[in-house]
Amino acid sequence: MSETKRCSTSYLIFGASMRKGSLNERLASLAEKVIREAGGTVVRGSMTEFDCPSYNGDVETTTGIPVGADRFRSKLLSTDGVIIASPEYNASMPGVLKNLIDWASRYRPQPLKGRHALLMSASPSMAGGNRGLWSARIPLEHLGARVFPDMFSLAQAHEAFKEDGTLRDEKLQKWFEGTVDCFLESVEAAKHYPAMRSQWIEFLGERPNTATERVEMTEIQPV
Ligand SMILES: Cc1cc2nc3c(=O)[nH]c(=O)nc-3n(C[C@H](O)[C@H](O)[C@H](O)COP(=O)(O)O)c2cc1C
């Protein structure tokens, strides 16, 4: 970890699995530990808490956006960044996670725009679920989230954890801490020294039309 830490940032952390004993939930807990030790604030979420019925435009029109997406949005907006530890299902992200992203994208202003995100995965397989993270990156980046370039994928995760929740392999543990630490520093930098503005336009190819137009500027946080 860095020697000079002035972490005044906060993070929503959740595992995108609803299974008891989830390996991704354990990885999320390890991220929580690393962030707390670095002085950061953590708000935990869970996929069960954020779970939504399958997206249906008629449901949205009649009863509105479901409570799971509302909880996700509230926690997202109350923190500076989000860390998602997601399983890989059939070389992609779990349907429940994509469904949550789809529902959350229906809010105005759109809550993922400008959010800092770190993606991680755990799987018993040798690739550690990394392909699923590339698929999660696509809708998140499409929605204007600042998805951190580095990701962490824990291979053979069923054998990787010690009793205390850290990783058996010391080198891997250091790499994990390094990835989380670099993410923290980038979120801190963006929060304290906002230098990058962005204009997010959802459908660039559309002709200007109030029915489809969604253009949002990133707000500049006061220093
Ligand atoms: C429907 C389904 C598809 C899966 N596909 C993959 C896959 O493509 N790659 C992989 O590494 N693991 C795959 N797995 C195994 C999961 O990585 C494993 O069940 C993991 O423990 C799930 O994460 P969790 O422990 O956080 O629930 C799949 C599991 C299920 C149930």
Side-chain angles (χ1 to χ4, degrees):
M1 305 294 294
S2 298
E3 296 292 320
T4 52
K5 187 118 314 267
R6 51 126 242 289
C7 201
S8 57
T9 47
S10 57
Y11 300 87
L12 164 62
I13 303 180
F14 71 102
S17 168
M18 296 198 283
R19 190 175 76 83
K20 283 195 191 70
S22 157
L23 296 168
N24 285 279
E25 200 57 40
R26 292 177 79 175
L27 197 61
S29 296
L30 185 54
E32 174 176 359
K33 182 176 187 301
V34 172
I35 287 178
R36 287 197 193 282
E37 283 172 4
T41 304
V42 172
V43 173
R44 277 305 284 264
S46 72
M47 198 61 244
T48 307
E49 171 194 3
F50 299 150
D51 189 31
C52 296
S54 294
Y55 179 79
N56 179 333
D58 293 339
V59 172
E60 182 184 358
T61 308
T62 51
T63 57
I65 300 174
V67 66
D70 202 46
R71 293 188 190 118
F72 175 59
R73 175 177 167 270
S74 300
K75 290 192 170 179
L76 206 55
L77 296 181
S78 71
T79 48
D80 298 305
V82 58
I83 297 180
I84 306 173
S86 176
E88 175 180 282
Y89 287 169
N90 297 309
S92 187
M93 83 182 98
V96 284
L97 178 59
K98 177 61 164 55
N99 189 46
L100 174 62
I101 294 170
D102 290 342
W103 273 114
S105 74
R106 304 302 294 164
Y107 285 105
R108 304 291 183 276
Q110 193 269 100
L112 283 155
K113 181 186 66 71
R115 289 285 116 192
H116 297 276
L118 174 66
L119 300 178
M120 51 183 65
S121 62
S123 163
S125 79
M126 288 303 285
N130 190 258
R131 292 169 302 182
L133 300 186
W134 286 104
S135 72
R137 193 174 261 281
I138 293 170
L140 292 172
E141 291 200 354
H142 166 76
L143 291 166
R146 306 270 171 82
V147 186
F148 196 60
D150 303 337
M151 305 189 282
F152 188 91
S153 292
L154 183 64
Q156 299 187 297
H158 57 305
E159 295 169 345
F161 292 96
K162 290 199 282 194
E163 282 290 302
D164 68 0
T166 59
L167 301 179
R168 263 182 227 292
D169 186 314
E170 284 179 19
K171 195 175 202 177
L172 221 48
Q173 174 69 25
K174 284 235 166 316
W175 285 351
F176 180 81
E177 289 173 7
T179 301
V180 173
D181 198 37
C182 289
F183 175 61
L184 254 63
E185 284 186 1
S186 83
V187 175
E188 284 179 27
K191 184 173 180 180
H192 295 292
Y193 309 105
M196 192 172 92
R197 298 178 75 204
S198 78
Q199 181 183 254
W200 176 74
I201 304 170
E202 189 176 25
F203 300 114
L204 209 53
E206 301 280 340
R207 288 184 177 282
N209 175 338
T210 48
T212 56
E213 203 169 271
R214 290 176 73 188
V215 181
E216 297 175 12
M217 292 293 291
T218 306
E219 331 72 51
I220 297 290
Q221 306 279 345
V223 180

